[in-house]
Amino acid sequence: MLLLLLGIIVLHVTVLVLFFVSTIVSQWLVNGEHTADLWQNCTSGSVFHCLTSSTNEWLQSVQAMMILSIIFSVLSLFLFFCQLFTLTKGGRFYITGVFQILAGLCVMSGAAIFTVRHTDWHQASENTSYGFAYILAWLAFPLALASGIIYVILRKRE
Amino acid sequence: MEEANEERSGCLLLLAGLLAVLGPSPTSSIHVYTQREVYGTVGSPVTLSCSFWSSEWISEDISITWHFQAEGTRDSTSIFHYAKGQPYIDDVGTFKERMEWVGNPRRKDGSIVIHNLDYTDNGTFTCDVKNPPDIVGKSSQVTLYVFEKVPTRYGVVLGSIIGGALLLVAVVVALVYLIRYCWLRRQVALQRRLSAMEKGKLQRSAKDASKRSRQAPVLYAMLDHSRGTKAASEKKPKGAPGDSRKDKK
């Protein structure tokens, strides 16, 4: 029983860490020495300097979605601990699960919008590939969904 | 009557004295205020606002002029002049039939509107106001930028999406809790009514038969309905033993 609780918490924290890393790290699009991401475009090479990304509306919506997913996931963790101590025996962690599922949906829509619209603010050349932060975002989506569904199905025991 | 006259002349003297003290004050300069930068889109109108502050009363001889210096050039042309209560709008230059005077010197406003913007309107506009005898002062400049589409400030979309989503979630959660709270209260009220009715039924068993025969079906219908809902509520999984649970021991 304790093992189950620990496993669920570890999963939730993993999802949260994935959200943070994919939002903050500057590796969504990689092109040789240039990296472009949500917040800044950096060039490494002889000189390392960074410029802020464009103010395109689609880029802003992707940023908003990633931030929202972080907010929802943190809220969900907080509510889980609240419900752990206040829920009646046999009750379900509805709110926790709903917020976690919302966070997963947010990160999915953010990554999808980025995939479709990244040519608006970034000229794609041949060797532009997706960086690891982008992959982490897509990885976090099914994990968040699974975590949320587990919360909805789970019942509180003694 | 004579006392009233004396009072009135006394007041007039006082007023004249005050004016004598305040009237000829040292002439301060006239201040003209405009925006620093104005953004406009091609084809749409833009308002160039110019307001001023003068220590003197607004006289009939007030003059307001607007000059335009195109981007990249060094000479500025006069495009608007207001003098002796009459506005004179440019009718031969680049702003021919595009300018409109919307100012009001009495309200210390000297604004103009330029319609149907074009990229050649990029440049600096200077507003100059002279209100004799208050003529010393700096004019003010406003730079016009003409875009194809007005760029939104960074963060507007971001903030609105985040704020809107959080608000929506908060409202939905509050609604769900409210509905649950109301529903629970109705359940409690129904329970109370059911137990009261049962008690009443036992006490009224010795009363008139006809009355009871008319009222009885309604009472029984209510009892049946409330008993039905009570049974349905007992079937909910909360706290019910013997339900299927996830056993992962």
Side-chain angles (χ1 to χ4, degrees):
Chain A
M1 172 53 210
L2 206 61
L3 222 63
L4 177 67
L5 194 65
L6 219 64
I8 289 173
I9 294 183
V10 162
L11 180 65
H12 196 136
V13 169
T14 308
V15 168
L16 199 59
V17 164
L18 281 180
F19 281 155
F20 269 111
V21 168
S22 75
T23 306
I24 294 176
V25 167
S26 164
Q27 294 268 348
W28 280 64
L29 290 170
V30 180
N31 179 9
E33 289 165 347
H34 303 260
T35 59
D37 97 308
L38 300 186
W39 312 102
Q40 55 190 5
N41 310 323
C42 289
T43 350
S44 58
S46 53
V47 183
F48 180 81
H49 71 279
C50 293
L51 303 158
T52 41
S53 296
S54 76
T55 61
N56 193 337
E57 289 89 29
W58 292 111
L59 184 59
Q60 284 185 44
S61 70
V62 175
Q63 292 168 346
M65 285 295 161
M66 297 305 295
I67 291 179
L68 270 176
S69 71
I70 289 184
I71 291 177
F72 284 141
S73 194
V74 168
L75 260 175
S76 165
L77 192 66
F78 174 68
L79 283 169
F80 174 64
F81 283 114
C82 277
Q83 285 200 300
L84 200 59
F85 297 119
T86 62
L87 208 55
T88 56
K89 184 165 161 26
R92 282 176 156 157
F93 298 90
Y94 281 126
I95 282 204
T96 309
V98 161
F99 270 102
Q100 187 76 328
I101 290 178
L102 263 178
L105 287 176
C106 279
V107 82
M108 187 264 290
S109 58
I113 294 176
F114 184 88
T115 313
V116 170
R117 287 278 173 179
H118 71 88
T119 46
D120 273 4
W121 62 81
H122 172 91
Q123 285 78 31
S125 54
E126 280 83 45
N127 48 3
T128 316
S129 61
Y130 291 110
F132 77 91
Y134 175 81
I135 296 175
L136 282 184
W138 275 114
L139 201 61
F141 159 59
L143 284 181
L145 229 55
S147 172
I149 291 178
I150 289 179
Y151 280 126
V152 168
I153 295 180
L154 190 69
R155 282 185 205 275
K156 180 163 188 229
R157 277 172 238 141
E158 282 306 313
Chain B
M1 193 64 176
E2 283 164 356
E3 285 159 348
N5 269 345
E6 275 182 9
E7 271 187 11
R8 246 198 5 196
S9 53
C11 278
L12 280 171
L13 259 175
L14 193 62
L15 206 63
L18 274 170
L19 276 174
V21 170
L22 296 172
S25 51
T27 46
S28 50
S29 55
I30 191 170
H31 298 278
V32 182
Y33 306 108
T34 59
Q35 297 159 290
R36 280 264 173 91
E37 293 173 342
V38 169
Y39 301 101
T41 44
V42 177
S44 63
V46 71
T47 308
L48 300 171
S49 69
C50 175
S51 64
F52 58 92
W53 190 89
S54 168
S55 52
E56 300 284 331
W57 296 107
I58 308 292
S59 67
E60 291 289 320
D61 300 330
I62 187 171
S63 74
I64 300 174
T65 44
W66 278 92
H67 287 74
F68 170 63
Q69 180 179 9
E71 192 181 352
T73 60
R74 280 177 51 187
D75 43 345
S76 70
T77 46
S78 166
I79 58 171
F80 176 82
H81 188 73
Y82 178 96
K84 291 195 178 12
Q86 187 72 13
Y88 298 93
I89 299 185
D90 172 18
D91 50 357
V92 293
T94 44
F95 295 99
K96 179 165 140 177
E97 279 163 27
R98 285 202 291 149
M99 206 188 319
E100 188 190 339
W101 161 247
V102 293
N104 188 352
R106 299 268 158 223
R107 298 230 177 112
K108 307 198 174 192
D109 177 26
S111 313
I112 56 171
V113 170
I114 302 189
H115 296 277
N116 213 359
L117 280 176
D118 191 29
Y119 289 111
T120 54
D121 297 333
N122 268 308
T124 311
F125 289 81
T126 310
C127 175
D128 197 14
V129 181
K130 298 210 185 318
N131 181 28
D134 198 5
I135 54 143
V136 179
K138 272 195 276 201
S139 54
S140 181
Q141 296 186 334
V142 53
T143 316
L144 176 68
Y145 295 102
V146 180
F147 291 107
E148 201 178 275
K149 185 180 73 132
V150 182
T152 46
R153 276 189 19 224
Y154 174 68
V156 169
V157 175
L158 186 70
S160 58
I161 291 182
I162 292 183
L166 286 178
L167 203 69
L168 193 70
V169 165
V171 161
V172 166
V173 167
L175 260 167
V176 164
Y177 269 111
L178 199 72
I179 290 178
R180 242 180 49 167
Y181 173 70
C182 287
W183 193 75
L184 279 172
R185 251 187 35 180
R186 258 188 58 199
Q187 285 292 96
V188 167
L190 225 63
Q191 292 278 68
R192 228 178 279 153
R193 212 188 303 164
L194 178 68
S195 58
M197 267 196 302
E198 280 188 351
K199 261 190 242 163
K201 217 174 79 173
L202 286 169
Q203 282 176 4
R204 269 183 271 162
S205 58
K207 285 226 177 128
D208 197 0
S210 58
K211 265 197 200 157
R212 246 190 300 133
S213 65
R214 247 186 291 129
Q215 284 177 6
V218 181
L219 275 172
Y220 280 130
M222 281 189 74
L223 275 173
D224 270 341
H225 167 75
S226 44
R227 219 180 265 143
T229 51
K230 193 175 165 207
S233 74
E234 269 179 346
K235 280 202 194 119
K236 274 187 61 72
K238 274 204 166 66
D243 249 354
S244 59
R245 295 187 185 188
K246 263 176 64 164
D247 269 315
K248 262 195 181 174
K249 292 230 164 127

